[in-house]
Amino acid sequence: MSSDLPNLDHHLINATVAGSAEGQPPRILLLYGSTRQRSFSRLLVEEAARLLEHFGAETRIFNPSGLPLPDDAPSDHPKVQELLELMQWSEGQVWCSPERHGAMSAVFKAQIDWVPLAIGAIRPTQGKTLAVMQVSGGSQSFNAVNQMRVLGRWMRMFTIPNQSSVPKAFLEFDGQDRMKPSALYDRVVDVMEELVRFTLLLRGRPDLVDRYSERKETAEALSKRVNQATI
């Protein structure tokens, strides 16, 4: 593993992060927002996955190629089902989009728009941790990560404080598609380390997303069913 992360100073990694993930690895889903052959959002996600695995997490990356536009195919489409299964599998997520026309890409937004607010009685994203990153072709910007933060709140996720924005991404990866050593790389390390820490901290705490309004709605629905059954 160390040889796969040549730009990481292993002596400076917080030992409590890697050690606390032993036993039951945090399950992290990574999404990216481009289907280009050499997608820099995908390359950044792959670099993030290597770091997460070094910190003891289990990772899965969803490939958006072939995912239909929202509502342009039935929900049992294989790519839609793959995405929904990964959403339910994950404890935490990493979202990475290129910035296009000052916003997250349509490819990225389509992935989130396929996720219903509820599957049965279960909200597939509620209470999960989230880290956001973006890549840009020009100067540094934060439009996409800011939008993804709003989107994460809407999906009832715990978005961690740190984030990564990589400007001129075409300069930040070498011929082997690995991220070059830089302060930008160090920030990605920061974000992944923090994501693992928060995911472990929130693990087993369903009370943090247990809402009065939802308990009331559930109780009223149960009472209605009971009354109908006794008629």
Side-chain angles (χ1 to χ4, degrees):
M1 180 65 71
S2 298
S3 61
D4 197 38
L5 295 168
N7 302 328
L8 186 67
D9 190 335
H10 298 268
H11 299 292
L12 298 178
I13 293 300
N14 189 325
T16 60
V17 174
S20 57
E22 294 179 358
Q24 188 177 1
R27 301 182 302 276
I28 307 296
L29 169 64
L30 300 96
L31 305 179
Y32 60 93
S34 171
T35 57
R36 294 174 57 191
Q37 183 175 1
R38 192 169 190 244
S39 161
F40 292 107
S41 60
R42 174 178 58 80
L43 296 184
L44 188 57
V45 151
E46 290 174 350
E47 203 68 50
R50 293 184 186 97
L51 290 164
L52 288 167
E53 290 171 2
H54 181 72
F55 296 145
E58 180 182 355
T59 66
R60 297 186 187 177
I61 300 173
F62 177 73
N63 180 354
S65 181
L67 182 71
L69 290 172
D71 304 321
D72 199 35
S75 59
D76 61 356
H77 186 283
K79 288 296 292 188
V80 176
Q81 287 300 305
E82 178 189 353
L83 177 61
L84 296 183
E85 288 171 7
L86 288 172
M87 282 282 173
Q88 294 175 289
W89 167 85
S90 66
E91 291 180 87
Q93 297 184 16
V94 176
W95 293 357
C96 182
S97 175
E99 181 170 318
R100 291 188 174 172
H101 303 298
M104 74 180 81
S105 70
V107 170
F108 182 85
K109 183 61 161 55
Q111 295 173 73
I112 305 304
D113 285 347
W114 266 115
V115 181
L117 290 179
I119 299 177
I122 301 173
R123 296 184 181 271
T125 54
Q126 182 166 325
K128 300 180 189 297
T129 52
L130 172 64
V132 294
M133 306 191 297
Q134 76 168 71
V135 294
S136 304
S139 58
Q140 191 168 47
S141 172
F142 301 94
N143 291 321
V145 288
N146 288 340
Q147 287 186 330
M148 287 187 283
R149 284 188 175 277
V150 173
L151 187 56
R153 288 198 300 272
W154 182 260
M155 302 302 285
R156 299 185 179 180
M157 304 177 78
F158 290 106
T159 308
I160 67 171
N162 219 331
Q163 64 186 26
S164 169
S165 174
V166 179
K168 296 184 179 179
F170 60 93
L171 297 177
E172 298 302 324
F173 292 86
D174 63 23
Q176 286 70 49
D177 289 340
R178 295 301 303 272
M179 194 170 184
K180 300 174 184 177
S182 68
L184 296 170
Y185 175 83
D186 293 345
R187 175 57 67 88
V188 177
V189 178
D190 289 346
V191 175
M192 295 307 112
E193 188 178 54
E194 188 172 284
L195 177 63
V196 170
R197 187 181 294 120
F198 272 82
T199 303
L200 293 170
L201 182 66
L202 294 173
R203 174 180 276 176
R205 293 296 307 274
D207 56 300
L208 295 178
V209 291
D210 183 28
R211 298 186 175 193
Y212 163 77
S213 60
E214 292 173 351
R215 295 195 301 273
K216 182 177 179 181
E217 181 181 336
T218 300
E220 290 174 348
L222 178 61
S223 177
K224 184 178 180 179
R225 287 198 298 270
V226 170
N227 290 337
Q228 289 175 340
T230 56
I231 294 176

